[in-house]
Amino acid sequence: MTRKQRRAAFIGLGLGILSLAVFLVLFALRDTIVFFHTPKEVVERQIPAGKRFRLGGLVAEGSLKRGEGLTVAFAVTDTDKTIPVTYTGILPDLFREGQGVVAEGKLDPSGRFHADMVLAKHDETYMPPEVAKALKQQGVWHGDAKAKGGVPK
Amino acid sequence: MIIELGHFALVLALAVAAVQMVLPAWGAHTRDARLMQAAEPAALTQLALLSLAFAALTYAYVTSDFSVENVWANSHSAKPLIYKISGVWGNHEGSMLLWVLILALFGAAVALFGGNLPPSLRANALAVQAAIALAFLLFIIFSSNPFVRIPLQPEGRGLNPILQDPALAFHPPFLYAGYVGLSMAFSFAIAALIEGRTDAAWARWVRPWTLAAWVCLTLGIAMGSWWAYYELGWGGWWFWDPVENASFMPWLAATALLHSALVMEKREALKVWTILLAILAFSLSLMGTFLVRSGILTSVHAFAVDPARGVFILAILVVLIGGALVLYAWRAPQLQQGGLFAPISREGALVLNNVLLTVACGTVFVGTLYPLALESVTGDKISVGPPYFNLTFGPLMLPLLLAMPLGPFLAWKRGDLLGALQRLLAAAGIALLALTVTLALTWRGPWLAPFGIALGVWVVAGALSEWVARVKLFSAPLADSFYRARGLPRAAYGTMLAHAGVGVAVIGIVATTAWQSEAVLSMKPGDSAHIAGYELAFRGVAPGRGPNYQDQIGLLTVTRAGAPVTELSPAKRTYDAPRQTTSEAGIHVAWRGDLYAVLGDELADGAFVVRLYFNPLVRLIWLGALVMALGGALSLSDRRLRIGAPRRARRRALAAPSPAE
């Protein structure tokens, strides 16, 4: 094998694997990504029922209700719009009314969100960035001030 | 007073770093030996100063000095001592201090043990190390100073309870030792580019440090995964979360670097590529620090952060990575090309390893950063979850695992693929046997999983076959094999163990992904549940009290076919400060798998939500990682690596002529 052929073999190998990877990435990105929406966006953009997405906002005060068995109902709000949510399973330890939450699932035709995953956070002053941003844009939440504000002077 | 001393030492370390950055590099440029020698005491002074600063902060934590803001915000006087100490790096400021301390440790190691390196290479490498230290010290002093005082407070706010855990106490030091260890490869790569010259001696010096960093990174990631498994109560061990990916990408790059440095050391080939990989590996570590600490990514592991810091770290990233890549583009073409080799050869196999690992790392990179890019372009917020990674990363690992046992059987320069395959016939037979047995045992599906198990078995058996072939087990008298086994270098055992560890982990990953069973139910005292052949009787919930928390402990009696197995006591733990609840999973460990129980909320009718998992063979994942790390450590202890760098006589000969430019 000449030097040129060897080099061609390695370049071919590299390009082959790279194109396989690009194909896989494009294929996977088309089918597996999940969009994030606030309740306001869900209403404005009229997200169709059955489409999987992440819903983020605050757990509305006084909305948490335990249903039969393991089913819980609560509402996610950005203070502008509110979406009712149903979830079956164990809520994360830091799940509380008035706190930020991200739920993943689908809307049903009646506009109720059926979550199959509710995200836990490691830190109680932590707010998911999307939620914080969306809430800040609406002037509801001033998380940075809250997180840092406790420092005595 | 001690705090001020620590603060002062920190600022002084900044000044020393500035000196260490400028003088040796200038000395190397002007061939002034005295200036180059300044690097050595500077590096040692930096280590001393940063140790002092770190000790001062640790002292503040141990004595619960709540006049220090950092201690007040992250500690509590009632915390057990181990968590007071681990609290030092359980927060942003302290962890950054640990970062530079480890950096200084590596710098001092170069100064102390680098006596056999060409002086200008050592001077330049230490200057680059100092530049990194300078950037991070500026960052610490100006945006996250752990020594800031506040009026004395009566009590601290406490450490985030989920961080009060033995595995997580030691997870950051290992992870950081891995991240920062890669800075050695980076500094030497930059030094080589400045000098315009690399050789086998360069690789022989860089490889053990990369290996040490890789071992720490492997252990750190495994510890983090183990912690997430038992502490977060989701029964999962890896979530393809951005923060996890941030540590996984440097690991992939470091693994590739280890293998390409091998080619460079043995055959003086792949120089330009190895240098690039060294730069990329450390860049990914820096990015890992950035991703975790800037808060720009949504992550289940994310902690509250200050966005101003993100901008600072971004600037550091741009200067260090951008500068390194520009230097690379400018100087790399001048590096001499090394030895030739055929596509089918040990080098060829290592190139395949490198291509697959870097491309796989690239897919993880895209998946981690695509949401960021999309949001800044279109404003759409998305999340890329496990399905993406399973679809892209998985298929790329397939050829890697298939080819892994072949590599060590191929000769350098030109290998014999057919011969290598013949020597792996036994391993292939064992893998086929494993496939048949698993298929028979799990005929209900999923049908792909047995192939995954067989792949893992193939990797393990392939790694062992190499050893069998080298000691001539079965083909020579037993005494002869024993003699050969003792004579085999430790590095060979290291390779075998590390490769076998990958196989073990693969078996665990496939088994637990494919055959995990899960049940979420509400149980009243007296109720029982069935999962994976176990019967669990719920006996009720009792209160308990720890040093700084209140427990609500559920009791489950586990039997299997009528015979008692164990009692599980999953708990809900409410800490005194900060007032926060965590789940403590009850886990029964057995060879066939883990029985895993989580206690949830109490329902209106007195029942409790209970979540049960059975995770088959899940321990093999961490066992595999441990075996990998052990292999790395064994290889590190090989005598050849320790005395491998060139001797003095040769060094003089090398140092005399100025590099061709």
Side-chain angles (χ1 to χ4, degrees):
Chain A
M1 227 185 233
T2 64
R3 194 181 177 128
K4 227 178 211 168
Q5 283 171 323
R6 278 177 188 168
R7 191 176 292 168
F10 283 119
I11 291 175
L13 171 79
L15 284 182
I17 292 175
L18 201 64
S19 44
L20 170 75
V22 168
F23 169 76
L24 286 172
V25 165
L26 291 179
F27 179 71
L29 277 182
R30 207 190 52 198
D31 289 349
T32 64
I33 56 169
V34 184
F35 278 83
F36 173 93
H37 299 294
T38 58
K40 192 179 173 194
E41 284 170 356
V42 172
V43 175
E44 278 173 1
R45 297 194 192 181
Q46 301 184 324
I47 309 287
K51 186 181 186 311
R52 199 175 166 76
F53 66 98
R54 281 188 174 188
L55 176 69
L58 300 172
V59 182
E61 297 281 354
S63 69
L64 180 63
K65 283 186 190 72
R66 290 237 167 246
E68 275 172 49
L70 300 167
T71 307
V72 285
F74 56 92
V76 171
T77 179
D78 49 16
T79 67
D80 188 6
K81 296 282 188 297
T82 302
I83 303 239
V85 179
T86 313
Y87 172 66
T88 302
I90 298 186
L91 287 170
D93 294 327
L94 289 175
F95 183 92
R96 240 168 264 159
E97 289 181 356
Q99 292 254 351
V101 69
V102 174
E104 189 171 323
K106 297 166 188 168
L107 284 173
D108 68 7
S110 73
R112 175 168 276 276
F113 189 76
H114 292 269
D116 47 34
M117 185 170 83
V118 174
L119 284 189
K121 296 297 163 195
H122 285 6
D123 180 342
E124 60 182 354
T125 54
Y126 174 78
M127 178 74 83
E130 303 99 331
V131 179
K133 204 167 168 190
L135 292 177
K136 257 189 230 163
Q137 278 167 1
Q138 294 162 29
V140 180
W141 184 71
H142 308 280
D144 302 335
K146 185 184 148 200
K148 289 239 83 173
V151 180
K153 294 286 170 204
Chain B
M1 181 59 204
I2 287 177
I3 296 303
E4 276 63 38
L5 212 64
H7 197 166
F8 184 67
L10 188 68
V11 178
L12 212 56
L14 177 81
V16 174
V19 170
Q20 190 192 329
M21 180 176 80
V22 177
L23 290 190
W26 182 248
H29 185 67
T30 59
R31 311 250 140 231
D32 185 333
R34 278 177 315 164
L35 282 181
M36 284 197 268
Q37 275 159 11
E40 211 172 304
L44 295 176
T45 315
Q46 224 195 113
L47 176 63
L49 288 170
L50 287 172
S51 306
L52 191 66
F54 193 78
L57 188 63
T58 311
Y59 174 81
Y61 267 88
V62 171
T63 58
S64 295
D65 182 350
F66 296 129
S67 69
V68 178
E69 183 185 336
N70 190 255
V71 180
W72 166 77
N74 299 295
S75 195
H76 192 279
S77 56
K79 219 165 43 166
L81 182 64
I82 172 176
Y83 300 128
K84 282 186 185 169
I85 295 171
S86 76
V88 177
W89 56 77
N91 62 86
H92 168 76
E93 289 84 356
S95 70
M96 285 291 113
L97 190 59
L98 179 69
W99 207 99
V100 284
L101 176 67
I102 297 174
L103 187 70
L105 208 64
F106 280 110
V110 180
L112 283 178
F113 308 121
N116 50 8
L117 283 167
S120 59
L121 178 69
R122 184 164 69 136
N124 276 324
L126 277 170
V128 178
Q129 286 264 320
I132 302 168
L134 186 74
F136 273 85
L137 283 168
L138 280 173
F139 173 64
I140 292 175
I141 292 173
F142 287 108
S143 85
S144 26
N145 194 329
F147 294 111
V148 172
R149 290 272 200 182
I150 50 169
L152 182 65
Q153 300 298 310
E155 188 51 89
R157 293 203 299 191
L159 177 67
N160 187 339
I162 57 169
L163 301 183
Q164 298 190 26
D165 179 275
L168 212 63
F170 299 104
H171 161 70
F174 272 102
L175 204 59
Y176 279 14
Y179 278 179
V180 181
L182 290 176
S183 74
M184 294 292 263
F186 176 83
S187 298
F188 274 84
I190 300 298
L193 287 174
I194 293 173
E195 302 231 308
R197 171 165 63 94
T198 58
D199 50 25
W202 182 93
R204 218 170 288 167
W205 175 261
V206 165
R207 205 162 65 87
W209 290 105
T210 312
L211 191 55
W214 180 87
V215 169
C216 292
L217 206 51
T218 309
L219 287 175
I221 294 173
M223 248 183 247
S225 149
W226 183 47
W227 167 81
Y229 171 73
Y230 70 72
E231 180 71 27
L232 297 185
W234 305 343
W237 54 277
W238 190 261
F239 305 95
W240 288 112
D241 179 272
V243 169
E244 293 170 349
N245 294 347
S247 66
F248 191 48
M249 286 188 279
W251 187 86
L252 287 172
T255 312
L257 177 60
L258 279 180
H259 290 90
S260 80
L262 198 65
V263 179
M264 186 162 162
E265 181 185 330
K266 297 285 194 309
R267 301 272 307 130
E268 296 228 5
L270 300 186
K271 283 181 184 174
V272 177
W273 169 247
T274 304
I275 297 270
L276 178 63
L277 214 47
I279 294 175
L280 289 183
F282 183 60
S283 303
L284 288 169
S285 308
L286 281 178
M287 220 187 63
T289 315
F290 173 57
L291 290 184
V292 179
R293 290 297 167 193
S294 68
I296 52 167
L297 285 174
T298 315
S299 155
V300 288
H301 299 304
F303 298 91
V305 278
D306 173 0
R309 285 172 185 160
V311 178
F312 207 125
I313 307 186
L314 192 62
I316 295 180
L317 282 190
V318 169
V319 171
L320 284 180
I321 302 176
L325 289 179
V326 166
L327 187 69
Y328 176 80
W330 176 37
R331 299 298 289 250
Q334 295 166 15
L335 295 176
Q336 263 181 5
Q337 286 296 330
L340 284 174
F341 51 88
I344 304 287
S345 62
R346 180 83 65 89
E347 295 96 318
L350 290 167
V351 168
L352 180 71
N353 150 305
N354 266 249
V355 173
L356 286 168
L357 279 173
T358 39
V359 170
C361 183
T363 62
V364 177
F365 186 86
V366 170
T368 311
L369 293 184
Y370 179 67
L372 258 185
L374 190 73
E375 193 188 338
S376 61
V377 175
T378 66
D380 278 335
K381 298 179 209 82
I382 61 160
S383 69
V384 174
Y388 164 85
F389 294 100
N390 295 343
L391 252 174
T392 54
F393 189 79
L396 285 169
M397 286 300 105
L398 201 71
L400 186 71
L401 294 171
L402 274 176
M404 212 159 109
L406 281 169
F409 275 113
L410 294 173
W412 292 103
K413 254 183 130 170
R414 174 169 297 139
D416 173 11
L417 189 60
L418 208 64
L421 282 171
Q422 273 171 355
R423 291 156 89 180
L424 280 164
L425 268 181
I430 295 171
L432 268 180
L433 189 70
L435 177 67
T436 334
V437 171
T438 336
L439 270 175
L441 281 177
T442 64
W443 51 273
R444 274 177 240 107
W447 65 272
L448 253 176
F451 290 91
I453 299 285
L455 196 61
V457 172
W458 159 250
V459 171
V460 176
L464 295 180
S465 320
E466 204 229 337
W467 179 77
V468 168
R470 284 183 79 163
V471 305
K472 300 206 164 163
L473 195 67
F474 309 127
S475 62
L478 213 55
D480 191 21
S481 293
F482 181 71
Y483 179 74
R484 279 169 187 275
R486 281 190 50 185
L488 217 55
R490 285 191 195 167
Y493 280 103
T495 309
M496 181 189 85
L497 274 180
H499 282 191
V502 175
V504 171
V506 166
I507 296 173
I509 291 168
V510 171
T512 197
T513 311
W515 298 300
Q516 183 189 57
S517 16
E518 181 186 355
V520 183
L521 21 104
S522 71
M523 294 178 96
K524 281 183 187 165
D527 284 358
S528 61
H530 295 266
I531 188 166
Y534 290 102
E535 186 178 340
L536 293 95
F538 186 52
R539 305 262 297 276
V541 170
R545 172 79 206 166
N548 56 345
Y549 53 80
Q550 203 87 44
D551 264 341
Q552 222 189 346
I553 308 168
L555 190 65
L556 291 152
T557 312
V558 184
T559 52
R560 190 177 158 77
V565 178
T566 184
E567 288 191 333
L568 291 180
S569 39
K572 266 194 120 50
R573 182 169 289 179
T574 308
Y575 281 79
D576 303 338
R579 199 137 192 98
Q580 196 170 318
T581 309
T582 67
S583 294
E584 301 294 314
I587 303 175
H588 169 64
V589 182
W591 270 111
R592 53 191 297 260
D594 282 14
L595 187 62
Y596 185 111
V598 185
L599 184 71
D601 295 325
E602 188 172 358
L603 302 175
D605 56 354
F608 281 83
V609 182
V610 178
R611 181 181 282 191
L612 302 172
Y613 294 97
F614 181 71
N615 299 316
L617 301 182
V618 69
R619 297 275 142 177
L620 290 188
I621 298 172
W622 303 296
L623 184 71
L626 208 64
V627 171
M628 277 186 241
L630 198 70
L634 202 63
S635 180
L636 204 55
S637 72
D638 193 309
R639 209 168 146 269
R640 290 184 304 176
L641 271 186
R642 268 180 284 135
I643 59 163
R647 304 294 161 80
R648 251 162 209 288
R650 204 180 140 204
R651 191 200 78 195
R652 259 188 227 114
L654 271 177
S658 65
E661 283 183 40

